[in-house]
Amino acid sequence: MSWGSLLQPDLNLEGSILTLTPEIVQQYDLKGLILDVDETLVPFRTTQASTELLDWVEDIKQVATLWLVSNNLSESRIRGIAQSLNLPYLFGAGKPSRRKLRKAVTAMDLPVEKVAMVGDRLFTDVLAGNRFGMFTILVEPMVDPTQVARRHPVRTFEVWLSQALGASLTSKQ
């Protein structure tokens, strides 16, 4: 498998995770979602889920099983976010390693091809999901609305490099 295909998300949403609707989840026949935390669900240093995110989780729970899988090493922070959303979690995942993705999918008791990895990073979330045979969804990073919009230099570099390696970043059909 080429680097371009490993970095190619199955679905590239033009907005934050809040633009992922139950209808989209059902359209792709997904039964489970593994969600990255930092900048996918909440801005990096945020410890609380927004009201909009809480509402989104409740809507998505109607159509899919949800798990949080984060590379973040702060168990207390990830646990707090997971508890506020009433979701199971794994921290310190080391994505693009597939180890904790496998653990979450096993706990969901779903076939891996019915579970999507949802995240804002190509070289962690999309790469890990594609390596494991999951459906992959790339979303825009969640930003803190109280701060001046900041640039995402790592994401910008990842997009440039992945395109140089052959990924088009348009959704696969």
Side-chain angles (χ1 to χ4, degrees):
M1 188 174 258
S2 72
W3 276 106
S5 62
L6 285 171
L7 296 169
Q8 178 73 46
D10 292 297
L11 180 61
N12 186 5
L13 292 179
E14 296 294 322
S16 75
I17 196 163
L18 301 176
T19 62
L20 179 60
T21 63
E23 293 77 22
I24 293 171
V25 172
Q26 290 175 314
Q27 174 186 345
Y28 289 97
D29 196 29
L30 299 168
K31 305 299 181 199
L33 302 177
I34 294 179
L35 309 171
D36 175 52
V37 177
D38 290 325
E39 297 195 350
T40 296
L41 296 180
V42 296
F44 185 65
R45 290 190 172 82
T46 303
T47 58
Q48 297 290 321
S50 68
T51 303
E52 294 84 8
L53 182 63
L54 290 167
D55 293 341
W56 178 85
V57 165
E58 289 308 312
D59 288 344
I60 296 295
K61 276 183 177 180
Q62 304 304 310
V63 298
T65 302
L66 304 176
W67 266 75
L68 306 184
V69 176
S70 175
N71 279 358
N72 196 303
L73 296 174
S74 173
E75 182 179 11
S76 62
R77 180 169 175 273
I78 300 305
R79 179 180 56 240
I81 293 166
Q83 287 175 340
S84 73
L85 296 170
N86 195 27
L87 295 175
Y89 71 96
L90 295 167
F91 73 102
K95 293 175 283 180
S97 169
R98 298 166 288 190
R99 184 173 48 91
K100 292 212 176 168
L101 296 182
R102 184 176 290 112
K103 189 173 181 178
V105 169
T106 299
M108 289 178 168
D109 196 27
L110 292 169
V112 69
E113 61 274 5
K114 295 291 184 182
V115 180
M117 176 66 228
V118 184
D120 67 303
R121 301 282 305 277
L122 290 162
F123 283 81
T124 55
D125 307 316
V126 172
L127 181 57
N130 282 338
R131 288 182 65 226
F132 192 39
M134 301 172 77
F135 189 87
T136 53
I137 302 173
L138 182 67
V139 297
E140 294 292 323
M142 188 69 75
V143 293
D144 185 342
T146 64
Q147 294 183 1
V148 175
R150 74 173 228 251
R151 298 183 186 268
H152 296 284
V154 172
R155 181 182 166 98
T156 301
F157 176 74
E158 284 183 348
V159 168
W160 174 83
L161 183 57
S162 64
Q163 288 173 327
L165 291 170
S168 70
L169 299 189
T170 57
S171 298
K172 294 179 191 172
Q173 293 301 328

